[in-house]
């Protein structure tokens, strides 16, 4: 029999309904997997096995009563950016030490109403700032994948490194994640998993620790496109508590799967060819184009002329919003408090000791670009560039239905290889930040292996709220490349 930890969400859901195993058995199998792996992978910064068992037992009662809720009995991991009632939530920052929210985020509330079970909180970059999970206060998270014949520990990507690592290592069936500039799609690409960042406004941001509010979106990381569709269906929806949440009905994403892509127009943005990009990334991209041609789709070259300004503009807008959002961490309201002689030195001591280096860099940059005299030169200009980027996409979508690009400019790199060079790190986001700047949905799908034996991903981008087309197109890659295998267990 297949191990319970090898099931997809779809197969586990069906098995639970058919009473082949219980939610408790499924949950216990994942708790055992976490126990065996977490010392090596550091994917969970807070496993919650007791809570998981209690939730599983409650789910078994509902299953016995015939519950067919979308995620009934499915054990998931939750990125430590989502508030979870009574369970420590820190955004992997020292400054939120000991913070136990009095409420759940809307997304997690919806997951629990759909019957899901929480296995624990997942490691991530501090306040989701990073591309490698190396800025976490809880230490590096490790990618379960290694280069062939090489034991160098690799990053799982970031900021949702724990989400990607735990799903790839079969420690949970799926995980929540967030994406401000690529933090769902880049780790998905590095770990052979599927990661979707839905349209801005599709999932509520309420109760998710804010990084850059005009860019942040929640989405799932899973092992298959079908699982992604199932999980996003449970996470998405209108929420009056988030003013940017959009009141558009959530389609049955799973029901839109399995349709062919004959005649679908696929755009290839010519500007997504970076100098110095490894030949194998270009080869994967060409392979993707071939898969769509074979499936009967039409390929069109399109131009997104402002692409080269997206990264610099993002690294003004995101820090600006972060500096404002992070002003609330002052030692008074929640988390860490480092005493001082008076209130000002208490603020200073708390923020100096509570924030890590990357977060301080962003707060400094953000404060600078928002300051009087520089606001027009930096922040306002970046916002104008953002409009131009959005217009590029609008124009492209007059001609095509989806865009196909690489997700990242290279495969997973080694821990420590880029952490000393912020610019090299930021370049990882080159193909993903444009999508956040324009508020569009984007998905990364495993598309085969690098020459080093590690996963590579291709990215698809669609019009606002056209996640159904994204899933449908994503299946073409999944069918051609195959679902990524479980990485060899070395832990
Ligand atoms: N790597 C990007 C950054 O550091 C994106 C992070 C994210 O999407 N949360 O800002």
């Amino acid at each position: 029999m297949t191990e319970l930890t090898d099931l997809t969400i779809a197969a586990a859901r069906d098995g639970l309904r058919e009473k082949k195993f219980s939610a408790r058995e499924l949950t216990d199998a994942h708790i055992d997997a976490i126990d065996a792996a977490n010392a090596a992978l550091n994917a969970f910064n807070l496993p919650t096995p007791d809570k998981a068992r209690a939730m599983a037992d409650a789910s078994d009662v509902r299953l016995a009563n015939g519950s067919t809720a979308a995620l009934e009995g499915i054990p998931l991991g939750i990125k430590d950016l989502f508030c979870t009632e009574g369970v420590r939530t820190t955004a992997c920052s020292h400054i939120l030490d000991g913070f136990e929210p009095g409420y759940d985020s809307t997304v997690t509330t919806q997951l629990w109403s759909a019957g899901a079970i929480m296995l624990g909180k997942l490691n991530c970059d501090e306040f989701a700032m990073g591309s490698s999970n190396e800025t976490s206060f809880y230490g590096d998270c490790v990618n379960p994948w290694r280069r062939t014949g090489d034991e160098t520990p690799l990053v799982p990507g970031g900021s949702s490194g724990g989400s990607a690592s735990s799903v790839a290592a079969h420690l949970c069936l799926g995980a929540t994640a967030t994406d401000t500039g690529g933090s769902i799609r880049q780790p998905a690409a590095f770990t052979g998993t599927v990661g979707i960042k839905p349209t801005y406004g599709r999932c509520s941001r309420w109760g998710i620790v804010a990084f850059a509010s005009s860019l942040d979106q929640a989405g799932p990381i899973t092992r298959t496109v079908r699982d992604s569709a199932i999980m996003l269906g449970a996470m998405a929806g209108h929420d009056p508590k988030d003013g940017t949440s959009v009141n558009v009905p959530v389609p049955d994403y799973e029901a839109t799967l399995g349709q062919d892509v004959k005649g679908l127009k696929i755009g290839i943005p010519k500007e997504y060819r970076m100098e110095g990009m490894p030949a194998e990334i270009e080869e994967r991209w060409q392979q993707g184009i071939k898969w769509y041609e074979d499936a009967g789709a039409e390929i069109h070259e399109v131009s997104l002329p402002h692409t080269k300004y997206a990264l610099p503009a993002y690294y003004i807008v995101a820090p600006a919003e972060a500096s404002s959002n992070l002003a609330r961490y002052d030692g008074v309201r929640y988390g860490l408090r480092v005493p001082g002689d008076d209130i000002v030195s208490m603020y200073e001591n708390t923020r100096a000791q509570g924030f890590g280096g990357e977060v301080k860099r962003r707060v400094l940059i953000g404060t600078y670009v928002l300051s009087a005299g520089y606001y027009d030169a930096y922040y306002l200009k970046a916002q104008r560039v953002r409009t131009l980027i959005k217009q590029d996409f609008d124009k492209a979508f007059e001609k095509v239905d989806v865009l196909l690009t690489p997700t990242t400019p290279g495969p997973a790199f080694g821990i420590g290889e880029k952490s000393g060079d912020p610019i090299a790190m930021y370049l990882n986001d080159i193909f993903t930040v444009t999508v956040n700047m324009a508020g569009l949905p984007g998905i990364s799908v495993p598309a085969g292996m690098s020459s080093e034996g590690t996963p590579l991903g291709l990215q698809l981008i669609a019009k606002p709220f056209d996640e159904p087309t994204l899933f449908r197109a994503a299946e073409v890659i999944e069918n051609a490349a195959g679902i990524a295998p479980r990485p060899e267990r070395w832990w």
Side-chain angles (χ1 to χ4, degrees), residues 27 146 195 202 244 246 252 254 265 343 350 354-355 378 392 399 441 468 486:
T27 300
R146 286 172 161 180
R202 182 68 291 184
T244 63
V246 180
D252 182 344
E254 195 183 2
K265 297 192 183 75
I343 189 153
T350 301
F355 290 140
Y378 294 106
D392 283 355
K399 261 177 58 182
R486 179 207 270 254

Side-chain angles (χ1 to χ4, degrees), residues 79 128-131 158-159 178-184 211 314-315 318 362 426 429 436:
K79 186 178 183 180
M129 298 175 191
S131 307
S159 65
T178 60
D179 190 313
T180 304
S183 280
I184 292 176
F211 164 9
Y314 169 86
Y315 275 97
R362 309 267 180 131
Y426 297 169
D429 307 328
N436 302 74

